[in-house]
Amino acid sequence: MPLRIELKPNERLIINGALIRNGDRRSVFMIENQCKFLRESEIIFEAEADTAAKRLCVTLQLIYLADNPAEADDLFVRQANQILEAAPSMAPYILAIQDELSARQYHKAVKRGRDLVAYERSLLAHLAKPEDGRQE
């Protein structure tokens, strides 16, 4: 059964490593075979990776899109270890990602990476609050 993808005007999509930008109108594509793809809403660009979890997500995207992700796998392990040293509470998220990678469910690993980014965002927001609980 084909996968139906609807793109907004000027939305980007990566299909098997090719970056595609939609025109000025809404478009619908049908993907009729197996391929690797990421919608713009799923992509974290390297220039936007300003936290450890976002950098790890960029690595997960590389793993997903690469034909031979061995080098990116090593980078993932190093980044995951650094994150765990800094914030052990992220372990369940890292483990969920590792489980998906072990099962070769790379697209699901990317989604779990987004969960990690959301958790990291909540930690950073908590740290930014004043100790007395008042917003400045």
Side-chain angles (χ1 to χ4, degrees):
M1 185 163 132
L3 175 64
R4 182 179 188 266
I5 295 180
E6 188 170 330
L7 295 178
K8 299 173 193 166
N10 300 309
E11 185 176 7
R12 292 181 282 189
L13 173 72
I14 296 175
I15 300 177
N16 285 343
L19 181 59
I20 299 166
R21 182 183 297 271
N22 191 24
D24 59 355
R25 296 186 192 159
R26 190 173 282 283
S27 299
V28 175
F29 293 92
M30 303 298 282
I31 297 178
E32 296 185 349
N33 64 338
Q34 284 291 100
C35 68
K36 299 173 184 179
F37 71 94
L38 288 173
R39 296 179 63 102
E40 184 172 13
S41 61
E42 299 174 313
I43 299 169
I44 297 177
F45 292 94
E46 199 167 358
E48 301 167 352
D50 57 355
T51 67
K54 288 179 183 178
R55 285 188 293 277
L56 186 121
C57 280
V58 170
T59 301
L60 291 171
Q61 292 169 177
L62 290 172
I63 290 170
Y64 172 55
L65 294 171
D67 291 330
N68 183 6
E71 284 183 31
D73 284 340
D74 292 341
L75 180 57
F76 167 78
V77 170
R78 288 194 307 274
Q79 289 173 326
N81 286 335
Q82 289 172 349
I83 288 172
L84 290 173
E85 285 176 22
S89 65
M90 291 186 171
Y93 297 92
I94 299 292
L95 183 60
I97 294 167
Q98 184 60 49
D99 288 346
E100 298 297 358
L101 291 174
S102 296
R104 297 184 182 271
Q105 296 294 316
Y106 300 119
H107 195 266
K108 288 182 181 180
V110 170
K111 289 183 178 188
R112 298 295 157 259
R114 293 178 61 82
D115 295 340
L116 177 70
V117 170
Y119 179 70
E120 178 186 55
R121 188 177 307 121
S122 72
L123 287 178
L124 292 173
H126 179 73
L127 291 173
K129 288 184 183 177
E131 286 188 30
D132 62 6
R134 290 181 294 178
Q135 294 285 337
E136 291 184 5

